[in-house]
Amino acid sequence: MPQDSVGPKTSANAAPWWITTPSEYTAKTASLGLSSTEALERIRNFGPNTLSSHQGPSLIRQFLARFKNPLVVVLLLASSVSVLTGEITNFIIISGIVLLSVTLDFVQEFRANAAADKLRQSVSVRTTVLRDGQSVEIPVRDVVPGDVVLLSAGSLVPADALVLEANDFFVNQSLLTGEAYPVEKHPSTLLPTSTDLQEASNAVFMGTSVIGGSARVWVVKTGTQTAMGDIADSIQKPTPATSFEIGTRRFGMLIMRLTVVLVLFVLLVNAWFHKPWLESFLFAVALAVGLTPELLPMVVSVTLSRGAIRLAKLQMIVKRQTAIQDLGSMDVLCTDKTGTLTEAKIRLERHLDLSGQDSPRVLELAYINSFFETGLKSPLDEAILNHQTIDVSAWQKIDEIPFDFERRCVSVLVDNGTQRWLVAKGAAEDIVRLCTHVEINAEGCIAPSEVNDARLQAIRDRYHALESDGLRVLGVAWREVPRDHAMAVVNDESALVLAGFAAFLDPPKESAAPALAKLQQAGVTIKVVTGDSDLVTRHVCAQLNIEVTGVLTGKEIAQLDNQALQRRVETANLFCRVNPGQKQRVILALKGNGHVVGYMGDGINDAPSLHAADVGLSVDSAVDVAKAAADIIMLKQDLNVLHAGVLEGRRTFGNIMKYIMMGTSSNFGNMFSMAGAALFLPFLPMLPTQILLNNILYDISEIPIPLDEVDAQETAKPRVLDLDFIRNFMLVIGSISSVFDFLTFYVLLEVLKAEEQLFQTGWFVESLCTQVLVIFIIRTRGNPLKSKPHPLLAFTSIAVVATAIGLPLTPLGSHLGFVAPPAYFYGILGAMVVTYLGVVEVVKRIFYQRALTHQLPKALAIL
């Protein structure tokens, strides 16, 4: 197929494609779709249906990109200087360490991301197309020009396409045009002047969503050739930084400040004492590397990816990896009622007139409305249609006013050959407001009668009583219109005759109450955000043992400004009769108060809230719009699964925190000691290559951290990345490390009478042993003897310690500047390490006790 027939963008002078039928269009492809062979050929020609015009960088480029790290560049420069000055050993060691670190980082992240990508693809949005004359589901990225796509309410439009057939087909295209209300689309030939996208009533565009009805469309443009592709760069705003991302950014700045201070200090001291400039430069660079937790990106990526895999085993698929951290930090969960707290197995319990008697007429009117409705049928529609089959063959549908979340009702215009009625059903209070008359059954004869204040109060009492019993109530109304009334519009929903009410029962899930209790015990506050009435919601909450602390209705929210709403959302936990915009305002108000907010929803109306929340949760059975907006897809609609996911998110966060706290505290202590030693030693306390080797061996010992278990205490409550806590921990534990380092200096200089090489060897061994073995103390807040580390973490740590002890005794050690220390040094080393670990354990417990009660001295806040 020639690419210029449907693929490329329209030139400035050419007529838009929705005015002139593309040459590739034929009646055959419009009715049968493409063959599998044609589709394969076209995807080769046009590429995947994505907004990215190019594939991601090759593996080689991804690998080489890691050498752009400023510290890596500095190390490579240092190795180059070593070559020029004849220090070949330094060059080999520095280059080897850089290559090992970069390769390790690349391999670990690549494997973890590949596994996570595979999981994300399993819940990618799919669409229904005709292939070989059969309807099949394919990923949206596989849609090609010429495909015939079948759309229905709740679908995302996968590409720019012409409408071939439409049945009350309404689309929300506000993303492209800013139009707030749904636009009806239908097959038509437009005038040549209809060049504006808003005038394209016979076309649909990628990224818009179907609100009501159904259609068959013929794809004209895909990917970057679409209207969305033209403006993708301008509409794709960066995602707001999460609390974790903000925290890591601040953490990076803290490390940078410390690094600059120490490096400048060392350079100035060495310059003052007229030490060799090359050695001083390499020593300063090594200090910078030693202080930096350079494996943090890899540890974060691998830990999150492993978390995604573990969540998949819990029936939760992660689309955005950082959402795992947000899930663990979540302290407020906003959830809809239907299907989440209830079974979503709704049944019609009663259909009654205004006197409270069961009414076949009310059932018939409700059945007509649900039968002829072509929008997204709700569970209430299904309950009406399943309750009893009614013969509506005498009626013919003329038109429809689809449901929307502002009006909260749906109307159909029907005709039986002698009469033409507008039949409406919707939220009881909204339908009652539209009625000027009510049906009165007098002696078997139904006659409309005007509404007066007494009747209006009685009507409200009637449906409020039903709602108080936990029944969801819809009002059913109608009015007769002239036979020549050919089109239904929103203004027709007035002066209606109220027939009665349909009442539905949706029992709470048996698993919901204990699952909610677990979430609340885990520090997650539950807030119910629903379009249902407060009476029904209160009844369900009572059954689920949710204590109602406050109620806000949609009407009340509409009258509050953002500041007032932020105050009210703290005390209220039921938000009833809210529309999608009000749901979003509630979530943003909670976030504005500093909460990490999760939102769980599965409908068209939930998409704005899913976008606004820190973590959006949906289910695999949700409409495409909701699944596309969600960060995590639950394959099992069970809050117990969510509770398990929250704990997994906290476990993931806990392991990331382990690396940060272990790396910063031990690194800070050792690097501070080195900087201090430069003041009184006539030689470097450790050679640059020895510092780098010490650093890479330490990092190897910490690679298995993502596999480690996390104590129950760490998963009991939501946590965020607290920079003040990390800084204080680093200063306290790092100071202890420095004290023992200076004690080691004393032993080496006064007891062992160590010269330069023995001093460097002794401190290399001591510093590596202490900073590796302290992992087993810091990895838990409790007793390290009762919290077992992962076997691989234990193995790598012990192996690194053994390497540090044995290396000076090998020929390789001599090439690195080491000498064999006397045997009794190892006895002294053992005593110092045991004492150091004991002191750290005692101080750690005191630190956590004081940190938890906010009693740390203000003097620690010096950075």
Side-chain angles (χ1 to χ4, degrees):
M1 182 180 69
Q3 183 162 336
D4 60 358
S5 59
V6 288
K9 296 180 175 69
T10 304
S11 65
N13 297 324
W17 54 265
W18 55 82
I19 293 178
T20 58
T21 303
S23 59
E24 286 295 313
Y25 173 82
T26 66
K28 181 180 178 181
T29 56
S31 59
L32 299 178
L34 299 174
S35 67
S36 300
T37 304
E38 288 175 317
L40 183 60
E41 180 64 26
R42 295 189 184 200
I43 202 167
R44 288 173 182 162
N45 289 341
F46 296 102
N49 181 31
T50 64
L51 294 180
S52 175
S53 59
H54 59 275
Q55 298 293 328
S58 64
L59 292 179
I60 294 177
R61 288 190 175 184
Q62 292 180 47
F63 178 75
L64 294 177
R66 296 176 184 273
F67 287 89
K68 294 180 180 178
N69 184 303
L71 285 177
V72 172
V73 172
V74 171
L75 286 174
L76 292 177
L77 288 174
S79 66
S80 301
V81 173
S82 298
V83 170
L84 296 176
T85 55
E87 296 286 342
I88 303 301
T89 301
N90 280 350
F91 165 75
I92 294 174
I93 292 175
I94 294 174
S95 300
I97 288 174
V98 168
L99 186 62
L100 177 61
S101 177
V102 167
T103 303
L104 183 65
D105 188 12
F106 170 75
V107 171
Q108 290 280 18
E109 281 202 44
F110 174 78
R111 291 177 58 189
N113 289 334
D117 286 341
K118 187 175 181 180
L119 291 174
R120 284 194 290 271
Q121 290 172 11
S122 67
V123 291
S124 61
V125 176
R126 304 173 74 85
T127 194
T128 302
V129 301
L130 290 182
R131 292 278 171 89
D132 301 308
Q134 303 293 321
S135 61
V136 294
E137 272 200 354
I138 63 171
V140 166
R141 65 178 284 116
D142 293 340
V143 172
V144 295
D147 262 327
V148 176
V149 180
L150 307 181
L151 298 173
S152 59
S155 299
L156 277 175
V157 177
D160 289 3
L162 282 174
V163 178
L164 302 177
E165 299 174 7
N167 188 7
D168 294 314
F169 186 51
F170 287 82
V171 175
N172 183 337
Q173 55 187 31
S174 58
L175 180 67
L176 294 175
T177 65
E179 294 172 285
Y181 296 100
V183 179
E184 187 169 12
K185 303 285 186 175
H186 44 76
S188 63
T189 301
L190 301 182
L191 295 174
T193 56
S194 303
T195 57
D196 193 273
L197 186 144
Q198 291 176 291
E199 299 172 323
S201 59
N202 63 343
V204 290
F205 302 92
M206 173 190 268
T208 60
S209 56
V210 182
I211 300 300
S214 59
R216 178 182 295 209
V217 301
W218 186 78
V219 174
V220 180
K221 296 178 180 292
T222 58
T224 56
Q225 305 296 315
T226 62
M228 177 74 78
D230 280 336
I231 61 172
D233 292 338
S234 62
I235 65 173
Q236 288 180 348
K237 298 178 180 178
T239 304
T242 65
S243 60
F244 181 73
E245 290 167 339
I246 293 172
T248 52
R249 193 177 303 150
R250 292 180 59 205
F251 171 71
M253 293 302 297
L254 170 65
I255 294 299
M256 184 179 295
R257 289 197 299 270
L258 283 172
T259 301
V260 170
V261 169
L262 283 180
V263 167
L264 290 177
F265 174 78
V266 168
L267 287 175
L268 289 173
V269 168
N270 286 340
W272 178 266
F273 288 107
H274 304 290
K275 294 180 181 179
W277 71 268
L278 177 61
E279 282 192 358
S280 300
F281 169 74
L282 293 177
F283 181 72
V285 170
L287 272 182
V289 176
L291 185 60
T292 304
E294 65 273 10
L295 289 188
L296 180 59
M298 184 271 290
V299 169
V300 170
S301 179
V302 173
T303 304
L304 291 177
S305 297
R306 287 191 59 83
I309 295 170
R310 289 170 66 115
L311 283 177
K313 295 178 181 178
L314 297 173
Q315 304 289 296
M316 299 180 74
I317 305 299
V318 179
K319 292 171 58 185
R320 176 175 61 86
Q321 282 195 31
T322 54
I324 299 173
Q325 151 62 25
D326 297 326
L327 184 64
S329 298
M330 178 179 70
D331 63 335
V332 175
L333 173 64
C334 295
T335 176
D336 197 3
K337 178 176 64 65
T338 304
T340 305
L341 306 181
T342 62
E343 292 286 354
K345 297 178 181 177
I346 299 175
R347 63 178 184 265
L348 180 61
E349 286 288 295
R350 301 193 66 185
H351 40 91
L352 62 164
D353 59 23
L354 300 181
S355 65
Q357 302 299 312
D358 284 343
S359 169
R361 174 170 171 76
V362 171
L363 177 60
E364 180 185 15
L365 290 171
Y367 193 96
I368 289 173
N369 181 284
S370 295
F371 183 86
F372 288 111
E373 180 187 354
T374 57
L376 185 66
K377 292 191 184 298
S378 71
L380 303 179
D381 291 304
E382 301 294 342
I384 292 170
L385 297 176
N386 293 333
H387 181 74
Q388 179 181 328
T389 301
I390 296 176
D391 183 10
V392 293
S393 59
W395 293 95
Q396 178 185 0
K397 179 181 173 182
I398 306 301
D399 200 11
E400 175 181 355
I401 308 172
F403 179 88
D404 71 51
F405 295 96
E406 295 295 329
R407 294 168 29 254
R408 295 193 298 177
C409 67
V410 57
S411 299
V412 294
L413 186 64
V414 292
D415 192 296
N416 66 356
T418 60
Q419 294 177 304
R420 184 163 291 194
W421 289 356
L422 184 79
V423 181
K425 79 172 187 303
E429 61 180 300
D430 292 286
I431 290 292
V432 169
R433 189 177 65 251
L434 299 173
C435 294
T436 57
H437 292 73
V438 295
E439 283 189 356
I440 301 297
N441 191 340
E443 299 179 356
C445 180
I446 297 175
S449 179
E450 286 190 14
V451 174
N452 54 39
D453 291 343
R455 279 181 178 158
L456 184 60
Q457 187 58 49
I459 289 169
R460 288 173 175 162
D461 291 343
R462 177 73 60 196
Y463 71 76
H464 285 161
L466 293 169
E467 290 174 340
S468 297
D469 290 335
L471 297 173
R472 186 169 181 178
V473 183
L474 294 183
V476 180
W478 66 281
R479 79 178 177 95
E480 189 170 359
V481 298
R483 293 292 307 284
D484 60 356
H485 196 89
M487 184 180 295
V489 294
V490 172
N491 289 338
D492 291 334
E493 294 175 335
S494 59
L496 300 180
V497 180
L498 182 64
F501 301 105
F504 305 82
L505 180 64
D506 185 15
K509 287 182 178 179
E510 291 185 7
S511 62
L516 290 172
K518 290 178 185 177
L519 284 168
Q520 289 176 318
Q521 289 171 3
V524 179
T525 301
I526 307 297
K527 293 184 184 288
V528 182
V529 187
T530 177
D532 214 339
S533 76
D534 61 317
L535 295 174
V536 176
T537 309
R538 283 178 181 273
H539 183 86
V540 172
C541 289
Q543 292 178 300
L544 295 174
N545 299 320
I546 299 176
E547 182 182 356
V548 178
T549 58
V551 180
L552 262 182
T553 65
K555 289 181 179 179
E556 293 171 322
I557 292 174
Q559 297 172 355
L560 298 175
D561 60 23
N562 291 337
Q563 289 185 340
L565 183 59
Q566 280 186 243
R567 292 192 295 270
R568 294 291 301 276
V569 295
E570 288 298 317
T571 55
N573 65 340
L574 297 190
F575 302 88
C576 305
R577 294 293 191 199
V578 291
N579 60 38
Q582 291 165 342
K583 285 184 179 182
Q584 188 178 31
R585 284 192 65 201
V586 168
I587 289 169
L588 292 175
L590 288 165
K591 290 177 66 176
N593 289 341
H595 295 288
V596 179
V597 184
Y599 181 81
M600 189 168 182
D602 60 359
I604 299 174
N605 61 321
D606 293 314
S609 300
L610 290 167
H611 273 299
D614 290 293
V615 54
L617 299 148
S618 193
V619 293
D620 196 34
S621 59
V623 299
D624 290 344
V625 180
K627 286 202 292 185
D631 301 308
I632 296 177
I633 305 293
M634 297 174 59
L635 303 181
K636 186 177 180 182
Q637 212 165 354
D638 187 343
L639 287 176
N640 284 303
V641 173
L642 179 58
H643 174 254
V646 168
L647 297 184
E648 180 57 34
R650 294 177 184 177
R651 191 199 70 82
T652 300
F653 176 79
N655 278 336
I656 292 173
M657 283 295 295
K658 284 180 189 179
Y659 178 82
I660 291 175
M661 294 172 68
M662 289 189 290
T664 53
S665 58
S666 59
N667 285 3
F668 172 75
N670 282 336
M671 297 310 112
F672 181 78
S673 300
M674 288 189 192
L679 287 172
F680 62 86
L681 287 178
F683 49 82
L684 293 179
M686 202 181 293
L687 296 177
T689 52
Q690 294 168 351
I691 296 175
L692 295 175
L693 180 62
N694 181 296
N695 190 59
I696 195 65
L697 287 174
Y698 175 68
D699 283 338
I700 289 173
S701 72
E702 295 194 78
I703 287 175
I705 283 178
L707 306 174
D708 199 24
E709 291 300 320
V710 174
D711 295 341
Q713 184 181 4
E714 296 293 323
T715 61
K717 297 292 180 183
R719 300 170 60 199
V720 296
L721 192 63
D722 186 345
L723 187 62
D724 292 338
F725 180 86
I726 295 171
R727 179 198 60 204
N728 293 342
F729 189 87
M730 177 182 70
L731 293 172
V732 170
I733 303 300
S735 298
I736 297 173
S737 175
S738 288
V739 168
F740 275 82
D741 283 337
F742 284 109
L743 181 59
T744 301
F745 296 165
Y746 177 81
V747 170
L748 290 170
L749 294 173
E750 298 299 327
V751 178
L752 273 67
K753 306 297 181 182
E755 299 295 334
E756 180 178 349
Q757 284 189 309
L758 180 57
F759 183 94
Q760 292 167 345
T761 300
W763 191 28
F764 174 88
V765 174
E766 183 270 342
S767 66
L768 197 54
C769 288
T770 52
Q771 69 178 334
V772 170
L773 293 177
V774 82
I775 290 174
F776 301 108
I777 304 297
I778 296 178
R779 60 172 293 276
T780 175
R781 293 192 182 202
N783 187 338
L785 299 177
K786 295 181 179 180
S787 177
K788 294 183 179 180
H790 190 277
L792 188 58
L793 178 62
F795 172 78
T796 56
S797 299
I798 293 172
V800 166
V801 169
T803 300
I805 293 174
L807 187 61
L809 308 178
T810 66
L812 177 61
S814 61
H815 289 289
L816 296 170
F818 296 131
V819 294
Y824 65 89
F825 165 75
Y826 291 105
I828 297 173
L829 174 67
M832 290 181 62
V833 169
V834 170
T835 305
Y836 169 70
L837 296 179
V839 172
V840 170
E841 171 63 19
V842 172
V843 173
K844 179 196 74 176
R845 296 195 178 194
I846 296 173
F847 176 87
Y848 278 122
Q849 289 174 358
R850 292 191 175 183
L852 293 176
T853 55
H854 307 286
Q855 294 177 355
L856 280 175
K858 293 183 179 179
L860 290 177
I862 59 175
L863 292 172

